[in-house]
Amino acid sequence: MHKPFDDCFSRPPVRCHDGVYYFDSDRDADCFDGSDVANWRDGRMKRNFHSDFFLNNPASRRLVDHIVGQATPMVEIACGPGMGLTPSVKQLAPAHLCLATDASALVIKEWKRYLDENEIVGNLELAQFSLMDIPFRDHTVPAYSSYIGLSSTRNGEAGHERALQEIYRTLMKNGFLYTIETWMDTKAMLRVFRETGKTPWSGLDSDQRAPTWRERFLHTGFEILSEEVFESRTLTADDNELGEDAERLGIEIGVFSKAYILQKK
């Protein structure tokens, strides 16, 4: 692994295979299986790696431009099969040093396979760990990026709080968090769960209003340098099972997201 990242780790991995560190964090990962792998190998990873989606959206383009302008190593958290902002950064600055991470060993394994077999790309490393238990020393990471990685954190509000604390702990002073995070129409979501008889997601059925992402960031200690609307749309069947149920019932669930540039002071 590239020395700048290797120097950041606070503990040895559970295993190292083919240059990738694995920290046994699948308990915090999305539940991917063989059907997902088949989809990734059928062209999805290639499309994601070469997509200009984030470069064409003004809000996310400002994040990518700021990352490239800083020219400091960046860690992508909860990268998933899309790898977040990292492919866009590499399109603009191929030499930019990036570490793509996810809690799922399967995601990281498949990205390693895809990159080795299909791409000629340098300064792009991979590691498996959970953003609720980041294995970096305090004040060592120059920058993090995320595309709905925080929004997808398990364990409800406690998970969001823990992940943000871990990011803040490991960021250097004046380090950056570039993130696009999302929220959905809670009333419409609960209506779908009620009409399907399914159990609402953790924390969703609480009577207490969930904090906004702005409130979460400020509470953690971040300074908000930029906050901009990224997307406003309706949840679809292509998103997840909830979207499938909503379409079948004819219930529109609004999905909203903002792009943030945050700094640790």
Side-chain angles (χ1 to χ4, degrees):
M1 183 166 287
H2 198 287
K3 190 174 180 357
F5 293 126
D6 206 29
D7 287 347
C8 292
F9 284 102
S10 60
R11 63 181 189 266
V14 174
R15 63 187 175 95
C16 180
H17 177 70
D18 202 15
V20 178
Y21 287 4
Y22 293 88
F23 285 89
D24 193 23
S25 58
D26 278 304
R27 64 190 179 281
D28 294 331
D30 289 334
C31 299
F32 298 116
D33 57 25
S35 63
D36 295 298
V37 172
N39 179 267
W40 302 341
R41 294 188 179 189
D42 192 37
R44 183 178 176 188
M45 279 190 162
K46 181 177 181 178
R47 291 191 298 272
N48 289 340
F49 195 76
H50 292 278
S51 172
D52 57 5
F53 176 66
F54 294 116
L55 297 179
N56 289 336
N57 182 296
S60 52
R61 178 60 183 259
R62 272 182 268 281
L63 268 61
V64 175
D65 285 344
H66 197 277
I67 293 168
V68 172
Q70 292 295 312
T72 56
M74 181 190 80
V75 176
E76 186 82 42
I77 52 174
C79 71
M83 207 185 273
L85 299 178
T86 295
S88 298
V89 170
K90 300 299 284 185
Q91 286 185 51
L92 297 187
H96 200 107
L97 183 59
C98 300
L99 172 66
T101 74
D102 197 273
S104 168
L106 186 59
V107 166
I108 296 302
K109 177 183 176 182
E110 282 302 306
W111 269 122
K112 177 64 174 174
R113 180 202 61 78
Y114 171 79
L115 293 171
D116 286 350
E117 294 179 4
N118 297 280
E119 303 291 345
I120 300 175
V121 57
N123 287 343
L124 175 54
E125 301 291 343
L126 299 164
Q128 181 224 15
F129 60 75
S130 167
L131 72 164
M132 289 187 288
D133 183 23
I134 297 177
F136 288 145
R137 293 182 289 108
D138 294 357
H139 320 302
T140 54
V141 179
Y144 284 104
S145 63
S146 165
Y147 174 58
I148 66 174
L150 289 165
S151 302
S152 303
T153 304
R154 293 184 178 276
N155 300 330
E157 194 56 39
H160 293 146
E161 183 176 351
R162 176 63 178 170
L164 281 171
Q165 289 173 345
E166 282 290 273
I167 291 169
Y168 196 86
R169 173 186 67 80
T170 55
L171 269 178
M172 291 179 175
K173 183 179 180 181
N174 298 322
F176 294 98
L177 169 59
Y178 305 92
T179 186
I180 300 170
E181 298 304 335
T182 187
W183 67 97
M184 290 186 279
D185 182 341
T186 302
K187 289 183 178 179
M189 293 171 69
L190 287 172
R191 181 183 168 194
V192 172
F193 282 117
R194 185 169 59 252
E195 294 194 16
T196 58
K198 297 179 180 179
T199 303
W201 296 343
S202 176
L204 189 64
D205 54 350
S206 171
D207 291 334
Q208 185 176 1
R209 181 187 69 83
T212 65
W213 281 109
R214 162 179 273 274
E215 290 169 339
R216 292 179 180 120
F217 296 142
L218 292 174
H219 177 74
T220 305
F222 284 104
E223 179 181 355
I224 300 176
L225 302 184
S226 175
E227 178 182 14
E228 189 173 357
V229 173
F230 172 75
E231 188 178 38
S232 177
R233 64 181 180 87
T234 299
L235 195 72
T236 71
D238 291 335
D239 290 304
N240 50 32
E241 184 179 341
L242 179 63
E244 293 177 1
D245 291 337
E247 284 195 359
R248 178 171 51 80
L249 294 169
I251 299 173
E252 290 191 357
I253 298 177
V255 181
F256 315 96
S257 53
K258 286 186 176 181
Y260 294 88
I261 301 176
L262 309 165
Q263 190 170 30
K264 175 181 176 177
K265 289 297 188 181

